[in-house]
């Protein structure tokens, strides 16, 4: 065993850390460990299952009982791999019969239930101790990390069962739904004629597969726990450094001897450099790089150091800027709160007692809580809306339907002013007043007023390109009989007057004015 | 154990459970990620504490009828989803279980855990639990070099051992002296550790270790231990 060849960092660790190191060690050699474990255990498992086909539980029990035997193989591999001498798969399997022999009976009987099994195994297998010597060694080793080994076993049991059940659950999840419905669970769980045995053997197999993953880790953790204990007891880490130190120092001594020999052999030539300026060799025992050196030349180490520092202080090596900003002043220190807290706690307790007393009024309290909860929810929603208002403004607008932009109502149609403010307040009365003297203006006013109303009250999309006939058609689209009748009469007479210069009959005046008043009654209320 | 003159393996291939994190200032932080077993125990403790808490609160609140069951539902939500998060963020990454096992949660770079990371790693517990009893988390934890479960990988967090203050070690009495050769940091530490751990080593082992350095120190093997203790005193300085 050469400590300098160890493939792990040797230092004293806490017990938990030693377990972690074991996990890492098993991870590094995982392919070899898992393959060798599978090659050893799976055929044995198959054999046991075939022999005890009618008794799957016994097969599992036997397989489980023999676990200490399989564990010797990973330990053999790990103990060699630790010092860089990883055996091959074939070599390690060939070593197996030799590994199994020592203390076979004890491992399988009274030590089977030892909770520190993985921790004890190296003492048996690597140190080859037995009997009283083994017991004493275990007492010494177990002084500190025994509890971690126990926890390793306890957690290990749970990990094994969790992984097995997890695999089972996974298989169950993968069963198609229809098949699941059709499965006869009763038959599978309590088989009467050996029909469901395969299911039990399947779950046994899952356990064997889980062990392929977990057992190498378990053994490795026990092994590193053992190593850690020995590192602490025998100061392996110190030995390692001392060995290196000795190697360095004695190596330096050899090099010095060699150098002296070379120098002596070339002595005559040294006279050629006799007049060179003396430059004292720096003392070996100086105070590190900060000591003053090169004192006999113009540029001393200190001057060079200063120049370098000065240069490094200027751009581009250092970048400085002055930032001025306003800050809040110091916060006021917190007041002592312990008394307040205690008081508040007592008050809370009293309130709670009162709450218990108010047995009947619980509904009210529940109501208050409900109100509080709902208002809390509303508050949160409002806060969220406020928080994301900009986002909503930006993106919610796009989600909306294209906005209906109102077309600007035209102010002129057929050369007539149709803006509502150009009309008299009481259209009908103005028309009556105008009718006798200026019938053209009167009828024009009425028609203008009608168009204006259509535009601004009925929101008819009239354009200046519409003809009177098209306006009429649009009015009919509104499906208001009185309006369309009135409009058609008015339009016809307006057209007769405007284009044909035929005056409307006199009896039309009251009919149109009344019709107007009937259609737009609010006219009367306005003046 | 024969003395070996063969070169040791390069340090990069040496297996260790420590993680180096280098800060922008060039300082190496050593983090020690915690493995499955202490974490499983810490989780079990937390589970027991939560169970006990819910049991007590459930009994108390059952006195209050419908209001009580409503409050219990709220408490259930808080304990289920916020217990770990609140403790981790407000108590330096330590839930009670982790506190008892000497663990804490930090970011990958060693900084204290933030709300987002803690929420994420605890929400993803429900992925780690699949398909049964934390199977995915277990497998991920066993296979990851820093023992991370899926939630830790997603949130960029690490469960590490806390640095515990250790008692001041007692050095054996000896006359302080300067080391006769240049020693690098590791060697100085080894000599100090030799003196500090003298109590836990057997007399024979101490002599064997000191004997290794007898030749370079130019003393007899019997006097090497006292010499080393003196050097350790000298390295420690006035105390």
């Amino acid at each position: 065993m050469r400590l300098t060849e160890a493939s792990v960092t040797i230092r004293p660790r806490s017990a938990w850390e030693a377990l972690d190191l074991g996990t890492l060690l098993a991870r590094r050699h995982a392919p070899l460990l898992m393959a060798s474990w599978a090659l050893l255990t799976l055929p044995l498992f198959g054999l046991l299952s075939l022999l005890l086909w009618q008794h799957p539980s016994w097969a599992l029990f036997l397989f489980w009982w023999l676990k200490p035997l399989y564990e010797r193989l990973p330990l053999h591999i790990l103990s060699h791999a630790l010092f860089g001498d990883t055996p091959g798969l074939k070599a390690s399997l060939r070593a197996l019969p030799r590994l199994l022999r020592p203390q076979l009976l004890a491992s399988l009987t009274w030590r089977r239930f030892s909770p520190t099994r993985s921790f004890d195994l190296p003492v048996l297998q690597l140190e080859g101790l037995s009997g009283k010597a083994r017991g004493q060694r275990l007492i010494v080793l177990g002084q500190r990390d025994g509890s971690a080994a126990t926890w390793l076993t306890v957690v290990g049991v749970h990990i094994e069962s969790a992984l097995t059940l997890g695999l089972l659950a996974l298989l169950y999840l993968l069963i198609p739904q229809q098949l699941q419905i059709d499965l006869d669970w009763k038959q599978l769980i309590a088989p009467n004629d050996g029909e469901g045995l395969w299911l039990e053997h399947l779950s046994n197999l899952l356990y064997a597969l889980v062990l392929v993953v977990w057992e190498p880790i378990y053994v490795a953790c026990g092994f590193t726990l053992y190593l850690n204990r020995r590192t602490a007891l025998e100061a392996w880490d110190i030995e390692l450094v001392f060995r290196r130190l000795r190697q360095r120092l004695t190596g330096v001594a050899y090099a010095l001897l060699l150098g002296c020999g070379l120098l002596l052999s070339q002595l005559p030539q040294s006279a050629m450099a006799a007049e060179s300026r003396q430059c004292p060799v720096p003392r070996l025992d100086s105070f590190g790089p900060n000591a003053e050196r090169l004192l006999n030349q113009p540029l001393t180490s200190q001057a060079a150091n200063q120049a370098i520092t000065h240069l490094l202080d200027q751009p581009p090596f250092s970048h400085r800027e002055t930032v001025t900003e306003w800050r809040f002043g110091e916060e006021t220190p917190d007041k002592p709160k312990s008394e307040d807290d205690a008081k508040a706690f007592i008050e809370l307790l009293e309130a709670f007692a009162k709450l218990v007393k108010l047995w009947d009024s619980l509904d009210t309290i529940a109501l208050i809580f409900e109100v509080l909860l709902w208002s809390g929810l509303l508050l949160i929603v409002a806060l969220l809306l406020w928080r994301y208002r900009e986002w909503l403004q930006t993106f919610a607008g796009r989600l909306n339907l294209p906005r209906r932009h109102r077309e600007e109502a035209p102010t002129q149609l057929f050369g007539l002013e149709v803006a509502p403010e150009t009309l008299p307040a009481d259209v009908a009365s103005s028309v009556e007043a105008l009718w006798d003297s200026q019938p053209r203006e009167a009828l024009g006013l009425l028609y203008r007023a009608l168009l204006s109303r259509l535009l601004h009250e009925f929101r008819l999309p009239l354009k200046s390109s519409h003809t009177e006939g098209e306006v009429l058609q649009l009015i009919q689209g509104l499906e208001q009989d009185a309006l369309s009748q009135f409009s058609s009469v008015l339009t016809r007479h307006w057209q007769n007057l405007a284009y044909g210069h035929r005056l409307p009959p006199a009896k039309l005046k009251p009919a149109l004015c009344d019709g107007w008043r009937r259609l737009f009654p609010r006219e009367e209320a306005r003046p | 154990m024969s003395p070996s003159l063969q070169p040791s393996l390069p340090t990069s291939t040496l297996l260790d459970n420590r993680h180096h994190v280098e800060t922008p200032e060039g300082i190496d932080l050593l983090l020690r990620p915690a493995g499955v077993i202490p974490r499983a125990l810490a989780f079990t403790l937390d589970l027991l504490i939560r169970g006990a808490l819910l049991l007590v609160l459930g009994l108390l609140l059952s006195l209050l009828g419908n209001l009580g069951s409503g409050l219990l539902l709220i408490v259930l939500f808080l304990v289920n989803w916020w217990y770990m998060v609140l403790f981790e963020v407000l108590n330096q990454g330590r839930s009670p279980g982790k506190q008892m096992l000497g663990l804490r949660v930090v970011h990958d770079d060693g900084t204290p855990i933030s709300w987002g990371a803690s929420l994420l790693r605890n929400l993803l517990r429900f992925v780690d639990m699949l398909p049964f009893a934390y199977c995915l988390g277990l497998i991920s934890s066993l296979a990851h070099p820093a023992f991370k479960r899926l939630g830790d990988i997603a949130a960029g967090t690490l469960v590490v051992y806390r640095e515990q203050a250790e008692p001041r070690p007692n050095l054996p009495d000896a006359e302080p002296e300067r080391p006769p050769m240049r020693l690098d940091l590791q060697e100085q530490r080894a000599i100090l550790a030799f003196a500090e751990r003298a109590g836990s080593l057997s007399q024979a082992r101490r002599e064997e270790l000191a004997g290794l350095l007898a030749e370079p120190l130019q003393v007899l093997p019997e006097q090497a231990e006292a010499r080393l203790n003196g050097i350790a005193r000298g390295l420690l300085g006035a105390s």
Side-chain angles (χ1 to χ4, degrees):
Chain A
M1 183 174 76
R2 282 174 173 166
L3 283 181
T4 44
E5 284 170 22
S7 63
V8 302
T9 313
I10 290 181
R11 61 184 171 87
R13 296 173 165 87
S14 73
W16 297 132
E17 281 182 79
L19 295 179
D20 300 344
L21 186 70
T23 315
L24 290 178
L25 191 63
R27 184 171 164 269
R28 172 175 278 190
H29 302 291
L32 176 63
L33 289 172
M34 281 159 69
S36 62
W37 181 274
L39 278 181
L40 172 62
T41 59
L42 292 185
L44 188 73
F45 171 78
L47 192 70
L48 281 174
S49 295
L50 280 181
L51 286 179
L52 297 166
W53 185 256
Q54 291 302 319
H55 310 282
S57 315
W58 279 103
L60 181 69
F61 181 72
L62 261 181
F63 179 71
W64 171 81
W65 190 273
L66 293 176
K67 252 164 71 173
L69 289 189
Y70 325 139
E71 283 167 3
R72 297 183 178 194
L73 183 62
L75 183 62
H76 170 76
I77 296 172
L78 283 170
S79 62
H80 281 81
L82 182 70
F83 295 105
D85 171 29
T86 318
L89 189 59
K90 216 183 276 179
S92 43
L93 284 177
R94 210 174 294 140
L96 183 66
R98 182 169 51 79
L99 298 173
L100 289 182
R101 215 166 301 137
Q103 304 179 45
L104 182 64
L105 191 66
S107 294
L108 289 183
T109 49
W110 63 88
R111 287 189 210 140
R112 176 64 185 83
F113 288 99
S114 159
T116 55
R117 197 173 73 232
S118 62
F119 185 54
D120 301 346
L121 186 60
V123 177
L124 183 160
Q125 189 176 328
L126 303 181
E127 298 186 18
L129 297 180
S130 61
K132 209 171 181 181
R134 174 185 171 279
Q136 280 174 344
R137 183 85 178 127
L138 281 183
I139 289 172
V140 172
L141 287 179
Q143 271 167 357
R144 244 181 47 193
D145 295 347
S147 68
T150 310
W151 281 120
L152 170 66
T153 310
V154 171
V155 174
V157 170
H158 287 92
I159 287 179
E160 278 173 13
S161 41
L163 286 179
T164 313
L165 288 175
L167 273 181
L168 264 179
L170 191 65
L171 275 187
Y172 178 73
L173 288 178
L174 291 180
I175 297 175
Q177 196 135 36
Q178 190 51 48
L179 208 60
Q180 225 174 66
I181 294 167
D182 293 344
L183 270 181
D184 187 358
W185 285 111
K186 243 184 216 168
Q187 174 106 42
L188 286 178
I189 290 164
N192 38 16
D193 50 357
E195 278 250 325
L197 282 176
W198 63 270
L199 189 74
E200 285 198 49
H201 283 293
L202 181 69
S203 72
N204 292 355
L205 177 66
L206 291 183
Y207 177 71
L209 290 178
V210 164
L211 284 195
V212 172
V213 176
W214 169 247
E215 273 293 324
I217 298 175
Y218 176 69
V219 176
C221 285
F223 180 48
T224 46
L225 210 54
Y226 163 82
L227 282 181
N228 188 49
R229 189 69 188 118
R230 280 194 63 179
T231 304
L233 273 179
E234 298 168 26
W236 281 5
D237 51 326
I238 297 176
E239 176 181 341
L240 197 60
V241 181
F242 278 11
R243 278 192 191 284
R244 286 211 194 107
L245 179 62
R246 186 172 76 158
Q247 189 182 341
R248 180 166 70 83
L249 292 175
T250 47
V252 166
Y254 288 136
L256 276 179
L257 269 179
L258 207 66
C260 282
L262 280 175
L263 213 66
L264 283 174
S265 68
Q266 293 180 343
L267 201 57
Q269 290 172 2
S270 66
M272 292 171 71
E275 282 306 303
S276 69
R277 202 165 167 182
Q278 287 272 317
C279 180
V281 178
R283 285 183 302 149
L284 267 179
D285 196 18
S286 67
F287 295 98
N290 291 331
E292 287 191 23
R293 279 170 289 116
L294 311 175
L295 297 172
N296 295 337
Q297 58 183 49
L299 185 67
T300 63
S301 68
Q302 203 175 7
N305 220 342
Q306 274 170 1
I308 292 168
T309 320
H310 183 64
L311 202 63
L312 285 179
D313 211 21
Q314 290 169 345
F317 295 109
S318 87
H319 174 69
R320 289 194 185 148
E321 55 182 328
T322 311
V323 179
T324 313
E325 58 182 19
W326 292 92
R327 283 177 184 265
F328 285 111
E330 285 288 306
E331 287 181 6
T332 50
D334 288 343
K335 290 171 189 167
K337 288 195 292 191
S338 59
E339 278 187 17
D340 290 6
D341 277 358
K343 212 184 278 176
F345 185 62
I346 291 169
E347 279 173 8
L348 197 71
L349 278 184
E350 284 171 0
F352 192 74
K354 250 182 225 167
L355 203 68
V356 177
K357 271 183 211 163
L358 292 175
W359 186 252
D360 299 334
S361 62
L362 274 184
D363 285 346
T364 339
I365 298 167
L367 192 69
I368 291 170
F369 264 86
E370 202 176 336
V371 168
L372 277 179
L373 285 175
W374 277 113
S375 44
L377 181 69
L378 290 179
L379 201 68
I380 287 170
V381 169
L383 272 178
L384 272 180
L385 285 178
W386 175 249
R387 171 79 176 73
Y388 291 104
R389 62 192 186 281
E390 276 165 8
W391 189 92
L392 285 172
Q393 270 170 9
T394 316
F395 293 102
R398 289 190 195 167
L399 297 178
N400 272 352
L401 296 170
R403 198 171 288 169
R404 263 178 255 156
H405 53 280
R406 283 256 321 285
E407 281 175 32
E408 281 297 306
T411 52
Q412 274 200 339
L413 285 173
F414 323 123
L416 301 171
E417 289 284 340
V418 292
E421 52 272 14
T422 61
L423 295 173
D426 187 354
V427 176
S429 312
S430 314
V431 171
E432 275 174 338
L434 277 175
W435 191 279
D436 294 326
S437 55
Q438 295 171 302
R440 191 182 176 86
E441 271 70 27
L443 213 53
L445 175 64
L446 198 57
Y447 191 64
R448 205 149 62 84
L450 175 69
L451 290 179
S452 172
R453 290 285 191 279
L454 288 176
L455 269 178
H456 297 287
E457 280 177 27
F458 293 97
R459 304 261 176 233
L460 220 53
L462 296 182
K463 280 184 266 177
S464 49
S465 58
H466 282 141
T467 62
E468 288 90 343
E470 284 169 336
V471 175
L472 271 183
Q473 280 175 3
L474 284 171
I475 293 170
Q476 271 160 10
L478 291 175
E479 295 186 355
Q480 293 189 14
D481 287 342
L483 181 65
S484 48
Q485 206 180 348
F486 175 81
S487 308
S488 65
V489 171
L490 177 58
T491 307
R492 198 173 68 241
H493 287 290
W494 167 245
Q495 278 174 329
N496 285 343
L497 181 63
Y499 305 123
H501 298 281
R502 294 204 307 224
L503 286 177
K507 67 176 164 79
L508 200 62
K509 170 182 153 187
L512 279 180
C513 289
D514 288 345
W516 179 267
R517 288 198 178 96
R518 233 176 296 124
L519 278 173
F520 305 101
R522 78 183 172 86
E523 202 94 12
E524 259 53 53
R526 207 192 277 172
Chain B
M1 282 175 243
S2 60
S4 142
L5 288 174
Q6 292 191 355
S8 59
L9 289 169
T11 25
S12 61
T13 63
L14 285 187
L15 202 61
D16 200 357
N17 63 333
R18 285 195 294 206
H19 270 223
H20 292 256
V21 176
E22 192 177 342
T23 67
E25 293 83 10
I27 300 167
D28 259 351
L29 295 180
L30 287 178
L31 297 177
R32 298 169 297 159
V36 174
I37 290 147
R39 288 178 64 179
L41 291 174
F43 178 78
T44 313
L45 278 174
D46 276 329
L47 201 65
L48 289 177
I49 291 172
R50 275 183 285 179
L53 194 72
L54 283 180
L55 193 71
V56 170
L57 279 177
L59 285 179
L60 274 180
L61 290 175
S62 65
L63 296 174
L64 295 181
N66 273 344
L67 171 70
S69 53
L71 283 177
L72 188 65
L73 285 178
I74 294 176
V75 168
L76 197 67
F77 167 76
L78 285 180
V79 168
N80 212 7
W81 291 96
W82 288 92
Y83 172 89
M84 289 284 191
V85 177
L86 290 177
F87 271 115
E88 277 170 10
V89 178
L90 301 178
N91 193 25
Q92 301 172 9
R94 301 169 298 183
S95 63
K98 291 194 183 74
Q99 173 118 31
M100 283 179 235
L101 266 289
L103 309 176
R104 67 179 291 210
V105 190
V106 293
H107 283 144
D108 280 340
D109 53 3
T111 49
I113 189 168
S114 62
W115 285 103
S118 180
L119 267 174
L120 187 57
R121 81 181 285 278
N122 285 304
L123 280 180
L124 283 184
R125 274 182 196 283
F126 284 78
V127 179
D128 280 313
M129 277 181 192
L130 290 174
F132 180 78
Y134 276 92
C135 271
L136 275 185
L138 268 177
I139 292 167
S140 159
S141 223
L142 288 176
H144 196 278
F147 315 114
K148 289 181 170 199
R149 60 179 178 81
L150 298 177
D152 284 326
I153 296 174
T157 54
L158 206 56
V159 179
V160 296
Y161 296 104
R162 279 205 311 279
E163 296 299 329
Q164 316 266 18
E166 285 184 14
R168 193 183 172 81
N170 285 320
L171 262 61
D173 280 329
E175 190 62 30
E177 56 180 304
R178 292 188 72 177
M181 63 291 223
R182 191 181 57 76
L183 295 172
D184 65 22
L185 185 63
Q186 207 186 7
E187 289 154 2
Q188 295 181 10
R189 278 189 180 151
I191 290 177
L192 272 174
F194 174 77
E196 284 167 5
R197 280 156 63 184
S200 66
L201 301 175
S202 66
Q203 176 67 31
R205 180 65 180 158
R206 282 206 302 274
E207 276 168 13
E208 188 187 351
L209 284 175
L212 285 174
L213 288 183
E215 188 189 341
L217 286 175
Q218 293 159 0
V219 290
L220 290 174
E222 295 82 49
Q223 296 154 357
E225 189 189 341
R227 188 82 197 281
L228 280 178
N229 284 338
I231 294 175
R233 278 273 173 196
L235 287 173
L236 190 65
S239 58

